Every structure is written in C-alpha cells, then in structure tokens.
C-alpha cells in the first residue's frame, strides 16, 4: 500500500513537488478524459490520495462522467480534491460549473475539497505558498 498518491494535471505535478513522498499519476496540461486514457486501471491502494482534475476540461469533455471514472480508480482511506480555481476562456466551460461538479462528486464519496489559497498571476495555478498550503492541509488532517 502506498502512503500517498497524487493524480491529475499540472497542479498535481506542482503539488507533488511539495509532497515528494507521494507517487504521481499525472502530467501537466491534461484534461480528465486524457487522464482516464493514460490510467485505465484501478490505481494502487493508498492511505491518502489527492486529485487535481477538471482545470483543463473543455466543452468536448464530459467532466462529470470523466471525474466519476477517475474517482472509481482510487482506493484510499482519505481522498482530497483540489478545487480548480480558474481555467482558460477557450475551454468554453465556466469554472463555476467545474467547481460544482468537483464538490458534488467529493460529497458523494465523503471526500474533502481543498480550495487553492495563494494563486499565481495566471489565475489557474497556485503559488509556491499555495502548493505548500495544499500539502499542509492534507498532512494536518
């Protein structure tokens, strides 16, 4: 059993840089549909999982369905979702829609949602302090 795993996009990659004990299953720039294709099977069981997906989803991705598929692949005692803060206007999906879906799926699974505190100039990624805050919140619970 893994102690910790982090799954997702560039925010997941950044989070893992501040939580090196965690195994990363992700890559920068990917959307949820792409993540599910990269990782088609159930992941190793872990004590803790951190999910960062949805930020790069666009109108061609069924975010709810894809996030539900991703969540089904995670077997962990405690699961945290990093709530997307922003996305590209070209995605044609309001970030509030993605945030609502993340909150709903987290609630359905008794998972914890973590808001990004400390946002970079791109209005999408956390600052270094923001990444550290995500990790600190996970470690403190």
């Amino acid at each position: 059993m893994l102690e910790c795993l982090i799954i997702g996009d560039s925010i997941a990659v950044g989070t893992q840089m501040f939580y090196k004990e965690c195994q990363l299953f992700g890559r920068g720039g990917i959307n949820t549909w792409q993540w599910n294709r990269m990782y088609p099977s159930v992941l190793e069981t872990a004590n803790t999982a951190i999910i960062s997906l949805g930020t790069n989803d666009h109108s061609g991705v069924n975010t709810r369905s894809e996030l539900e598929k991703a969540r089904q692949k995670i077997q962990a005692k405690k699961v945290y979702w990093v709530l997307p803060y922003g996305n590209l206007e070209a995605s044609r999906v309001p970030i509030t829609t993605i945030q609502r879906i993340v909150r709903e799926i987290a609630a359905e699974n008794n998972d914890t949602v973590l808001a990004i505190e400390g946002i970079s100039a791109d209005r999408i990624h956390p600052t270094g302090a923001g990444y550290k805050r995500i990790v600190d919140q996970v470690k403190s619970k």
Side-chain angles (χ1 to χ4, degrees):
M1 176 185 303
L2 294 173
E3 179 57 35
C4 176
L5 64 90
I6 300 175
I7 73 156
D9 51 28
S10 60
I11 295 171
V13 172
T15 301
Q16 197 269 337
M17 291 174 69
F18 286 83
Y19 203 172
K20 297 206 182 288
E21 307 92 312
C22 293
Q23 173 128 9
L24 176 66
F25 293 88
R27 188 176 73 208
I30 62 172
N31 63 47
T32 308
W33 180 87
Q34 291 169 316
W35 188 89
N36 278 318
R37 297 319 167 274
M38 286 176 63
Y39 302 100
S41 306
V42 173
L43 302 177
E44 265 188 84
T45 303
N47 284 320
T48 304
I50 302 169
I51 304 168
S52 176
L53 286 167
T55 296
N56 297 311
D57 288 4
H58 51 77
S59 59
V61 174
N62 183 334
T63 297
R64 172 172 294 285
S65 174
E66 295 297 334
L67 286 176
E68 287 171 342
K69 285 179 199 172
R71 180 59 181 89
Q72 290 170 2
K73 296 174 189 176
I74 299 167
Q75 300 175 23
K77 293 178 183 176
K78 190 69 181 159
V79 177
Y80 298 89
W81 292 79
V82 177
L83 187 66
Y85 184 89
N87 60 356
L88 298 175
E89 190 176 320
S91 74
R92 297 195 174 153
V93 179
I95 194 61
T96 53
T97 300
I98 304 292
Q99 292 170 334
R100 178 181 48 78
I101 293 168
V102 166
R103 284 187 182 106
E104 289 170 359
I105 294 172
E108 291 163 8
N109 291 280
N110 295 313
D111 298 339
T112 301
V113 175
L114 303 173
I116 295 174
E117 298 175 22
I119 196 72
S120 68
D122 69 6
R123 311 290 294 159
I124 294 173
H125 298 90
T127 59
Y131 283 117
K132 186 176 181 328
R133 177 78 176 125
I134 290 167
V135 172
D136 289 348
Q137 287 180 80
V138 171
K139 288 183 173 182
S140 72
K141 294 185 185 218

